[in-house]
Every structure is written in structure tokens, then in C-alpha cells.
Amino acid sequence: MKSFRTTLFALFMVLLMSPTTWSQQIDANRMNRDIKIMENILGEMFKTHMSSNRSSNTAVFYSEFSSGSSKAKGTYLPGYGLIFNIQNNTSFLVRSQGEESTYSFYYGSNGSEENTKVSEEAVVERMKEFLKDYASTIGQLKDDEHVMLIYGSGKNNRLRELVYITSDGKPSTKPKEKTLPVISASATKKDLEAYRAGKLNSNAFNSRIKIAAAQDREYMDLKVMSNIFETALREQDEESFRLTGGASYMMLDNFGAIFNLETMYRSSRNTFFPARTYSLSGGQVSVSLNEEKSDEVEDMEAKIEEAFEALKMNLKEYLVDYGRTVNSVKSDQYILATVTIRGRYNDIPERMDVQVKKSVLEQVDKGQLSRDAAIKQVIITEY
């Protein structure tokens, strides 16, 4: 953990220098900065690698989509607090000939001093460490709001082992999975501040952290809704924001359903550059950007802004038209789509939350509220 603490010291100090006074109006830029810093810290804390006996006839391959890293996605819910969903999409492929090799998952990266085996107890200890050392530095939360960590929720967020064993020259597939239960840990801002100020010792603070572990429950209605998001956001016009990857989801007690989406602008020309001027002097070529944007760049920026507005309207419509089918969510709970915008665009946020209360959708079903009126009650928060 020594190298980890050194790596993250600069990120941690940024938050320590932040003012801690609460204001009625959330500073979206500051909240987004705090979330991103915490996501990076959690990503480092839950990074994994695999160790094997690796006999001479054993080969280990890592998924081409991952290098053992974890990623966390944070969402701020006014009145509830911050929720970080820690995801681990790492797949390991082990191929051996003859007897099966033995292997285990550990935290840290190959060659690091870290030697903690991944287990339910290790996950809980890391969660406690994060809450003690870092969570209290998050600004703008009210005393009764929470910082919650959720590990292992969702169909793609588990360590997977795929083992191929060859015998007599004939390969056979023996898929295996080591899965942990869904683990959550949360603490109120008031308790986090009390521990940081020395008003609570370590044992007293630990007793106030709410820890829960359970096997991930399959919510068929949430799964159907995630498929709706995936289908609708992939079948878009060429000049539009479209889904990258899948739509993950989780059910949160006392809040409702949360869907995580990643989108990116796609067009026939994804990349555009400001106009450049090239000049030759003394055998040297110099390049300078023109101060005025070219017509092509301005046209592209206008199309991106238009596509983003269309994305927001589409998400509102999806929640109103199809959110009514999410029966696991109660009347006083919410359906939330938290959307990450990949890429860098002028005047386009890096993420946004789109949410609606289930009771609004129930009023539409009963004919007490029109579809257009319901769409206007969908709340969008941009970060």
C-alpha cells in the first residue's frame, strides 16, 4: 500500500485544500472534480492481478479489454449523498496442459509490494480504509447525506476465470468463476467529519459504518429497461451520441433504480481540427493555429450541440415511455440514468444525471398527467 499512498498523495491534497462550508446551491464543477478524484482513488485501491504456480506447461492471458484495473463510477443524489459503484471487468484466461494450475487474485499490480488476496473481508477492509482516509474530504455534502460504496453489483462487474485444459491434443473448456457477494459500505457525512476531527476513534467509527453483503439479485424489469437503453441508444442517426458498451444497473434501497450509461458522439468524421497555418523559415517548419475557427469546425460544433440536446430529450422520453414498466421501484422512489459523455467537446458536460420519480409515471398511467407534462418533470443535472 506504500506505493499506492505515494501515487495518490497529490490527488488527496487537492481535496484537503478545498473549503468545507456547505452552500445551498451545489457547485457542479467542484462536485464533479471531487467525484473524479474519488473514482481514481478507488480504481487504484481495487486494482487486481492474478498469481499462478505457472508450471512450464501453463500459459496465462489477460483479457484484451482489461489489464487488471478496476474502475469506479460515482453519482451524486441530492438528499441521499454520493454512491460509488466499484466495477471489475477483468477476465483472465488460463490454459494448461495436463494437470490444472492453481492461481489466485491479489490486490495491486504485478511486482508491487501488495500481497492481499481478494476476499470479502479484504473488500470490506478496503472500503473502511477509503471512508476513513478519503471520504471525509468530499465537500458540499450535508450532515445526513451518505458516502456509499457498492462492490460487485451488475452482470459485468465480477472477476472471471476462464480455464482451458488440453488433454491428448484435444482442447476442452472448463469455465470457472470466483464471485464475491455484492458488498456495500456507507457512512454519513456527520460521522466522517467526526472521525476526521478526532471526535470518534477508529472502533467507534467502524461501528457506525453500515456494511451489507448479499448475492446479487436479478431484477428482470431492470434488465429489460437496460436492454431498452442499449437498443434505443445504438439505433441512432449517424450524427448523434450513441452508446458505447452496455448499460449496467443496480437497485438501491430507499432510492430506486440506477442505470449507468456511456455515450460518445459518432459521425462520418469523428475527429476535426482547428485550421492550421504552416510556414517555412530558415529550413524550419512552424505550425500555428488560426485564431478564427474554420466554417467546417463551427459546423461540426453546432452539430454536436444539436446532437447533445437530442440525447437529453431522448433520455427524458425513454424514462417516461418505458420507466413505467420498472415495477421494482416504489411510488416514492426514483429511476435515474447517470450518463458519462466520452470525448472532449465545447460546452458539453462530462456527465449528467437524468431522473424521474416513479409517482410521476404512475400518474401518466392513470391518466392524471399527460406525457408532455411528465417529460417536463424529468430532472437533468449536468456536471
Side-chain angles (χ1 to χ4, degrees):
M1 294 294 292
K2 185 187 232 178
S3 59
F4 160 71
R5 293 180 186 278
T6 303
T7 302
L8 296 177
F9 181 74
L11 292 174
F12 181 52
M13 289 304 295
V14 171
L15 287 183
L16 282 177
M17 293 184 289
S18 301
T20 58
T21 56
W22 167 262
S23 63
Q24 294 298 319
Q25 183 67 35
I26 289 290
D27 182 336
N29 289 332
R30 180 184 168 197
M31 179 61 74
N32 191 41
R33 181 205 64 186
D34 287 359
I35 289 173
K36 289 174 67 176
I37 290 175
M38 294 296 109
E39 287 174 342
N40 288 335
I41 291 174
L42 286 167
E44 288 293 327
M45 291 186 75
F46 286 90
K47 183 180 291 184
T48 58
H49 72 277
M50 187 178 71
S51 177
S52 170
N53 62 353
R54 297 196 184 189
S55 58
S56 57
N57 59 358
T58 301
V60 180
F61 304 91
Y62 294 87
S63 165
E64 61 181 326
F65 303 108
S66 178
S67 58
S69 63
S70 292
K71 62 178 181 178
K73 287 191 174 181
T75 301
Y76 174 66
L77 308 177
Y80 192 94
L82 270 170
I83 301 170
F84 292 96
N85 187 15
I86 304 166
Q87 305 173 346
N88 198 318
N89 301 323
T90 307
S91 294
F92 297 91
L93 171 65
V94 180
R95 186 178 66 196
S96 64
Q97 186 172 357
E99 294 185 2
E100 185 176 337
S101 58
T102 60
Y103 46 92
S104 300
F105 295 100
Y106 293 87
Y107 284 117
S109 56
N110 281 316
S112 68
E113 299 176 5
E114 185 80 25
N115 195 33
T116 303
K117 190 174 182 178
V118 175
S119 65
E120 182 177 339
E121 294 75 17
V123 171
V124 170
E125 287 305 311
R126 264 171 159 66
M127 286 179 162
K128 290 179 179 178
E129 181 182 352
F130 173 83
L131 291 173
K132 287 179 178 179
D133 293 348
Y134 305 106
S136 64
T137 62
I138 300 171
Q140 304 191 88
L141 295 180
K142 293 181 179 179
D143 285 347
D144 60 347
E145 290 186 318
H146 301 76
V147 176
M148 171 178 275
L149 310 178
I150 300 175
Y151 180 94
S153 179
K155 60 184 179 181
N156 296 320
N157 299 336
R158 299 182 179 184
L159 289 172
R160 303 180 186 276
E161 306 169 24
L162 303 176
V163 182
Y164 289 78
I165 299 178
T166 60
S167 177
D168 298 327
K170 297 180 180 180
S172 62
T173 305
K174 189 184 278 189
K176 287 188 173 185
E177 270 194 33
K178 278 187 179 179
T179 60
L180 297 177
V182 178
I183 305 168
S184 66
S186 67
T188 64
K189 177 65 172 179
K190 182 178 180 180
D191 288 340
L192 292 169
E193 292 286 359
Y195 175 75
R196 182 180 176 185
K199 297 177 182 179
L200 287 176
N201 61 31
S202 182
N203 290 333
F205 179 71
N206 284 342
S207 68
R208 298 194 183 189
I209 298 176
K210 294 182 179 180
I211 305 289
Q215 292 301 320
D216 205 1
R217 177 181 168 186
E218 182 68 72
Y219 290 91
M220 187 55 65
D221 53 346
L222 269 64
K223 184 176 182 179
V224 170
M225 188 67 190
S226 72
N227 288 336
I228 290 172
F229 279 126
E230 289 178 1
T231 302
L233 291 174
R234 285 190 180 127
E235 297 179 357
Q236 295 289 317
D237 296 332
E238 186 175 277
E239 308 287 338
S240 63
F241 281 89
R242 283 182 270 181
L243 195 69
T244 62
S248 62
Y249 57 86
M250 62 180 172
M251 189 70 182
L252 184 63
D253 292 341
N254 302 321
F255 179 81
I258 301 176
F259 296 88
N260 292 293
L261 313 171
E262 283 193 2
T263 64
M264 186 174 184
Y265 181 75
R266 300 293 178 88
S267 72
S268 56
R269 184 183 179 188
N270 255 334
T271 306
F272 58 95
F273 302 94
R276 288 170 167 80
T277 298
Y278 297 86
S279 59
L280 179 64
S281 177
Q284 298 293 322
V285 177
S286 61
V287 183
S288 61
L289 297 179
N290 292 349
E291 293 184 1
E292 295 186 3
K293 298 179 182 178
S294 67
D295 292 340
E296 186 178 6
V297 171
E298 289 184 346
D299 180 60
M300 178 64 73
E301 289 180 345
K303 286 183 178 180
I304 291 174
E305 290 178 11
E306 182 181 343
F308 181 67
E309 292 301 317
L311 172 65
K312 291 195 290 185
M313 179 54 69
N314 287 338
L315 289 170
K316 286 183 176 183
E317 292 178 349
Y318 300 155
L319 286 180
V320 171
D321 293 339
Y322 305 109
R324 290 174 279 172
T325 65
V326 184
N327 296 318
S328 298
V329 177
K330 299 176 182 177
S331 296
D332 60 343
Q333 295 181 329
Y334 294 86
I335 302 174
L336 167 72
T338 178
V339 186
T340 300
I341 312 297
R342 296 183 58 188
R344 295 182 178 274
Y345 315 102
N346 291 334
D347 303 321
I348 303 294
E350 295 181 6
R351 71 179 74 196
M352 65 176 171
D353 292 337
V354 187
Q355 69 178 44
V356 65
K357 200 168 186 177
K358 183 64 181 300
S359 60
V360 172
L361 306 181
E362 291 173 344
Q363 290 179 57
V364 177
D365 276 339
K366 295 174 182 178
Q368 300 171 350
L369 192 68
S370 69
R371 177 178 181 269
D372 290 342
I375 289 175
K376 291 179 181 178
Q377 292 197 38
V378 177
I379 300 171
I380 293 184
T381 305
E382 298 180 2
Y383 297 95

